[in-house]
Amino acid sequence: MNNWKQSRVTDRLGLRFPIVQGPFGGGLSSVELCSTVSASGGLGSFGAHHLNGAEIIATAAQIRANTSKPFALNLWIPFDGSDVPTYSNSEITQLSAQWEPFFEELQLPLPEKPVRFSPDYTDQIDGILKARPAVFSFVYGIPSADILTQCKQLGITTLGTATSIAEAVALERAGVDMVVASGFEAGGHRVSFLQPAEDALTGGLSLIPQIADSIHIPVIAAGGIADGRGIAAARVLGAEAVQIGTAFLACEESGTSALHKQALFSEEARHTGLTRVFSGRLARGIRNRLMHEGQRRPIAPYPVQNWLMGQLKRAAIEAERSDLMSLWCGQSAALLQHQQTPALINSLVEETDRLLQQV
């Protein structure tokens, strides 16, 4: 497969390489990382689900100030009542009290209920359409037919994520342009929407070819890909591009904390687990004290749990306490070698070239 750099994904988006940077939510994305990946020939992504519409527009403008190349903006589709959670003040007080020992340890007062736990989705969509990124990517479902139609009219390519064959088929039938096949190995959230995330834990080696055989639109492989071997394997399995998360998260250009980056290159990164402790939704991260002890406490649905743990995380970062914060990480962290984005991309391309020429 000497022509691995060309596919329907690269042709449609004008990319040099079929490499997509995974979108990181919760402030872990950065304008610098997104624009650097795009300028280097891949597709940079910015996880915008924590931003309101005006902030999304401003972020897109900042990315365009750094590169003229295409990029993606990513949102979480409202799922399972997440857009307007029904939690009373008394319920928040009761929930927070169960987690009070961790707040006390960081000398942090218990937070009060906010006006909203997350930005308004309708306002976010308005921001996406006004920003007009080359790609609108999304997780946890499928946008409405009206939104997908508006994206087509504006020339915005749509990219949805599937954790099962059924989800991939549903995305294609809805008119989505491309599908990310997210294997069990991936770091961060398991973004299942047609079945419980615990029931959609198929590894990439099995998931990628089955989805590629089940739909006609391009498939982008994700989960456990951190070097050229992963790219080569994904292309042979039928994917037309790859999405890489943890390896880019570990680069100095990403928006995550120094503590998190250090952890990704540590021995602890070899030991990841799936938990709902940090956000209320199943996600993969490095095992630590909060993940372990939090399993014995009440866990609220997303976004309530995500808001509560977010208060704790900010204080933990300031106190340099990696045992009391989420450390998202995929299962291939032991393969990480690079801390600068251009060096990572060069290595990915050179190794994939070498391997596929041998094949």
Side-chain angles (χ1 to χ4, degrees):
M1 189 181 290
N2 292 332
N3 200 27
W4 72 271
K5 297 187 187 74
Q6 185 175 9
S7 69
R8 287 183 293 174
V9 175
T10 58
D11 290 347
R12 175 161 184 160
L13 299 178
L15 309 178
R16 290 176 59 201
F17 312 120
I19 297 173
V20 178
Q21 170 229 321
F24 313 126
L28 304 187
S29 290
S30 75
V31 168
E32 184 180 8
L33 177 62
C34 177
S35 56
T36 301
V37 172
S38 290
S40 299
L43 181 71
S45 303
F46 193 101
H49 82 267
H50 64 297
L51 304 179
N52 62 34
E55 291 168 335
I56 288 171
I57 294 170
T59 297
Q62 292 171 15
I63 296 170
R64 288 193 172 101
N66 288 351
T67 181
S68 60
K69 300 299 182 180
F71 61 89
L73 295 178
N74 180 272
L75 289 183
W76 291 18
I77 307 300
F79 172 67
D80 199 23
S82 64
D83 198 35
V84 187
T86 54
Y87 253 70
S88 66
N89 288 329
S90 61
E91 287 175 316
I92 290 296
T93 299
Q94 293 173 11
L95 174 68
S96 299
Q98 296 294 322
W99 295 85
E100 188 171 9
F102 299 106
F103 282 82
E104 289 182 342
E105 193 168 333
L106 292 170
Q107 300 181 342
L108 189 69
L110 290 178
E112 297 182 357
K113 181 183 176 182
V115 176
R116 287 189 62 91
F117 291 100
S118 59
D120 178 69
Y121 172 69
T122 301
D123 179 56
Q124 291 181 317
I125 288 294
D126 183 62
I128 291 286
L129 297 175
K130 288 179 179 176
R132 294 184 67 172
V135 176
F136 168 35
S137 66
F138 43 87
V139 296
Y140 285 116
I142 308 172
S144 67
D146 177 63
I147 293 171
L148 292 176
T149 296
Q150 290 184 72
C151 286
K152 290 186 186 298
Q153 293 172 344
L154 293 170
I156 301 172
T157 296
T158 50
L159 174 59
T161 299
T163 63
S164 68
I165 297 170
E167 290 177 350
V169 171
L171 287 162
E172 180 179 49
R173 287 177 176 170
V176 174
D177 296 313
M178 302 176 184
V179 168
V180 173
S182 179
F184 166 83
E185 308 90 341
H189 286 83
R190 301 301 302 150
V191 293
S192 307
F193 60 93
L194 289 184
Q195 59 185 323
E198 288 85 352
D199 296 335
L201 299 178
T202 305
L205 188 64
S206 177
L207 185 67
I208 296 163
Q210 291 188 67
I211 287 182
D213 287 351
S214 301
I215 61 177
H216 301 92
I217 57 178
V219 175
I220 298 171
I225 301 171
D227 60 17
R229 290 172 293 183
I231 297 175
R235 293 292 272 129
V236 171
L237 290 171
E240 298 193 40
V242 299
Q243 179 171 285
I244 297 175
T246 303
F248 281 117
L249 188 63
C251 290
E252 62 183 19
E253 295 89 351
S254 85
T256 195
S257 66
L259 277 179
H260 194 168
K261 291 170 185 171
Q262 291 168 10
L264 292 175
F265 286 99
S266 72
E267 175 66 26
E268 285 71 26
R270 297 173 182 265
H271 308 286
T272 65
L274 290 167
T275 183
R276 290 180 178 268
V277 165
F278 296 113
S279 71
R281 288 181 173 170
L282 196 67
R284 180 177 297 284
I286 298 173
R287 296 180 184 274
N288 63 3
R289 176 187 161 205
L290 187 58
M291 183 188 293
H292 175 68
E293 296 184 9
Q295 301 285 5
R296 300 193 293 267
R297 298 177 184 274
I299 298 175
Y302 177 89
V304 178
Q305 184 74 11
N306 189 64
W307 161 78
L308 182 64
M309 294 296 97
Q311 315 298 311
L312 199 65
K313 179 175 181 176
R314 283 188 284 274
I317 291 173
E318 291 181 5
E320 298 187 347
R321 292 287 302 275
S322 61
D323 60 324
L324 295 178
M325 56 185 282
S326 57
L327 298 166
W328 306 132
C329 177
Q331 289 188 320
S332 293
L335 302 176
L336 300 183
Q337 298 181 24
H338 301 282
Q339 298 183 41
Q340 289 82 35
T341 298
L344 171 60
I345 293 177
N346 288 339
S347 175
L348 293 171
V349 172
E350 291 174 1
E351 185 177 12
T352 308
D353 267 336
R354 183 174 67 255
L355 290 169
L356 292 178
Q357 284 173 4
Q358 291 173 356
V359 173

